């Protein structure tokens, strides 16, 4: 067989001579897999040792990947390469997210084969290859044109769809080859309440109309929910919880009942959406036969992902000077800035200060201890009309160039440069400004005990957070390998090289 460089070694070897477990996923295996849309899905299906998460990360941990798709081998750090060269990490790492290469940025249409080294390769690649290496080999030396498309749907409520189309083409002769590819791909989001295995989905005490009353003297912790037909309890600060229950305003519930009241599936995605536009150009030119060959690769990939989480929890406590000092242990009243609370003087508060303070007037604890009597009343709510959206706009710019050649039939060299720039613009609508919320609670603009708020109640309170993130990689390689002489067991092979990598 013709010798070629394989993942896990810089010495060209014949396929049957490999000393490391390299799995080659070629075009036949890719087609037989039935996966036409997603590189991560292909790897997980064809190679059982590969795990990872992509569009499924559409709930509370979405900020770990910002819509990206990450893979690993046996749960260990795994290096992802394109044509044997490193790729800029996802910028998610810059804000405390995971460290990984986003496989959403490598379209299946541009991949010729995948080489998977399913063993540690730290000696060759460094500590990020403890689990192994996934090397994505792009198409090159292509003659002709190929046009294809993919459509798939999962029928039923929510109707999940995948759509993609691609063009791959190229020309080549004895000296020059040019390969081009272009792809457009999209999958729709899927919400949890559209599938029976994630609907209903419970697991929170915090929803509109929910109330928690903790007796700081006895330790009794009780939950209540507004009775049907009531949008809010009567204000005026003159009732006890027992009176409101007798009046039919609140219904007592056990902690388990309260935990299983609000269906989170209605506002949360099961799968994130994805839109991708990508293009790739691969060029190779033989300047002096095989003695001097120039090559280059340019990639541009744009992806947009979107997922949703339920509205942000809001849990203000009912506050007066007694509660601040004797229950929460603050050194003085009102509480420190940034603490979410509703003053007992707020027009929507139904509870009397006598009930709140348990008719106490003399401090029972030293300031800062918080071990006195009093009712800790938490108005557990969410502004359900403002779900949290996770919108990610990614751009990868990648330019690779190099020279390689044969010194003799037994000695070969390669010089390459790789420059990557990965921009990620993240916007997060549906977040609450704590200071604005406190002001709205103080003047009664927002009633945390109510299910539905008055028109204009959220003006200036709910807004959008945004982060612009950037990841770069500059890599320069120089390699030489050869087989200087033959031993009784075969040819002696060697490889030597230098690598410089700067990542930000």
């Amino acid at each position: 067989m013709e010798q070629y460089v394989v993942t896990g070694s810089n010495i060209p070897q014949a396929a049957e001579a490999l000393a490391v477990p390299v799995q080659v996923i070629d075009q036949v295996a890719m087609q037989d897999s039935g996966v036409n849309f997603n590189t991560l899905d292909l790897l997980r299906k064809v190679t059982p040792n590969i795990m990872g998460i992509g569009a499924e990360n559409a709930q509370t941990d979405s900020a770990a990947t910002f819509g990206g798709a990450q893979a690993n081998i046996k749960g260990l750090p795994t290096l992802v390469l394109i044509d044997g060269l490193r790729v800029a990490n996802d910028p998610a790492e810059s804000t405390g997210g995971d460290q990984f290469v986003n496989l959403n940025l490598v379209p299946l249409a541009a991949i010729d084969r995948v080489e998977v080294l399913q063993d540690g390769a730290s000696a060759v690649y460094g500590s990020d290859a403890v689990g192994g290496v996934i090397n994505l080999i792009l198409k090159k030396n292509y003659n002709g044109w190929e046009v294809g498309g993919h459509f798939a749907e999962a029928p039923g409520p929510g109707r999940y769809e995948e759509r993609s189309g691609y063009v791959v083409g190229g020309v080549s002769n004895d000296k020059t080859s040019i390969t081009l590819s272009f792809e457009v791909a999209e999958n729709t989001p899927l919400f949890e309440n559209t599938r029976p295995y994630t609907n209903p989905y419970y697991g929170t005490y915090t929803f509109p109309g929910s109330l928690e009353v903790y007796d700081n003297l006895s330790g009794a912790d009780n939950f209540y929910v507004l009775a049907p037909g009531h949008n809010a309890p009567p204000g005026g600060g003159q009732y006890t919880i027992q009176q409101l229950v007798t009046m039919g305003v609140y219904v007592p519930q056990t902690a388990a009942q309260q935990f299983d009241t609000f269906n989170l599936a209605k506002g949360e995605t099961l799968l994130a959406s994805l839109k991708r536009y990508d293009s790739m150009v691969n060029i190779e030119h033989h300047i002096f036969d095989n003695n001097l060959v120039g090559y280059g690769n340019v990639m541009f990939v744009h992806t947009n992902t979107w997922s949703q989480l339920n509205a942000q929890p809001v849990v203000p406590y009912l506050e007066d000077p007694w509660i601040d000092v004797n229950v929460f242990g603050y050194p003085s009243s009102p509480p420190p800035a940034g603490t979410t609370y509703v003053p007992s003087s707020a027009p929507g508060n139904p509870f009397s200060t006598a009930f709140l303070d348990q008719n106490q007037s003399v401090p029972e604890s030293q300031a800062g201890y918080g071990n006195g009597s009093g009712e800790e009343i938490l108005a557990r709510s969410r502004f359900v009309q403002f779900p949290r959206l996770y919108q990610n706009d990614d751009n990868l710019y990648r330019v690779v160039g190099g020279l390689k050649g044969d010194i003799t039939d037994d000695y070969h060299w390669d010089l390459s440069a790789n420059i990557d720039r990965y921009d990620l613009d993240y916007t997060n609508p549906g977040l609450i400004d704590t200071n604005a919320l406190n002001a709205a609670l103080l003047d009664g603009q927002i009633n945390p005990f109510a299910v539905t708020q008055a028109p204009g109640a959220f003006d200036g309170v709910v807004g959008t957070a945004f982060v612009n993130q950037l990841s770069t990689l500059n890599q320069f390689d120089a390699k030489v390998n050869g087989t200087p002489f033959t031993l009784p067991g075969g040819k002696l092979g060697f490889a030597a090289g230098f690598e410089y990598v700067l990542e930000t």
Side-chain angles (χ1 to χ4, degrees), residues 57 62-68 90-92 95 97 100 305 392 394 424 426 469:
N57 193 17
S62 58
T65 58
F66 289 92
D90 192 288
T95 53
F100 68 102
T305 59
N392 308 285
D394 304 57
L424 192 159
Y426 163 68
Q469 302 170 82

Side-chain angles (χ1 to χ4, degrees), residues 151-163 187-191 194-195:
F151 176 80
E153 68 168 339
R159 186 174 175 175
Y160 172 78
E161 291 184 356
E162 294 177 354
R163 297 178 290 271
N187 71 263
T188 58
L190 190 65
F191 278 80
T194 63
R195 291 297 181 267

Side-chain angles (χ1 to χ4, degrees), residues 394-471:
D394 304 57
N395 291 293
L396 173 67
Y397 307 88
R398 178 178 171 89
V399 179
V400 174
L403 295 170
K404 62 182 179 179
D406 297 338
I407 302 172
T408 67
D409 290 342
D410 294 324
Y411 293 90
H412 318 280
W413 61 276
D414 192 335
L415 298 173
S416 67
N418 170 27
I419 300 175
D420 293 6
R421 179 185 176 93
Y422 185 173
D423 298 307
L424 192 159
D425 294 332
Y426 163 68
T427 56
N428 189 192
L431 296 191
I432 294 171
D433 184 317
T434 301
N435 292 331
L437 174 63
N438 284 343
L441 293 172
L442 180 64
D443 63 15
Q445 176 182 331
I446 289 178
N447 180 1
F449 300 98
V451 175
T452 303
Q453 303 294 328
F458 302 107
D459 293 348
V461 175
V462 181
T464 299
F466 61 92
V467 183
N468 300 323
Q469 302 170 82
L470 172 65
S471 174

Side-chain angles (χ1 to χ4, degrees), residues 260-305:
D260 291 343
T261 295
F262 184 74
N263 186 4
L264 292 163
K266 296 178 180 179
E268 197 161 279
T269 45
L270 178 64
L271 293 176
S273 72
L274 168 69
K275 292 182 180 179
R276 180 176 65 230
Y277 308 90
D278 58 79
S279 57
M280 181 270 294
V281 180
N282 247 333
I283 300 175
E284 185 173 278
H285 179 64
H286 292 250
I287 302 171
F288 297 114
D289 296 325
N290 289 332
N291 302 112
L292 181 60
V293 179
Y295 61 91
N297 169 261
V298 177
M299 286 183 65
F300 169 72
V301 185
H302 169 78
T303 68
N304 182 278
T305 59

Side-chain angles (χ1 to χ4, degrees), residues 369-384:
Y369 279 72
N371 58 355
S373 62
E375 299 286 353
E376 180 182 333
I377 299 178
L378 302 176
R380 294 185 165 273
S381 188
R382 296 174 189 262
F383 307 142
V384 293

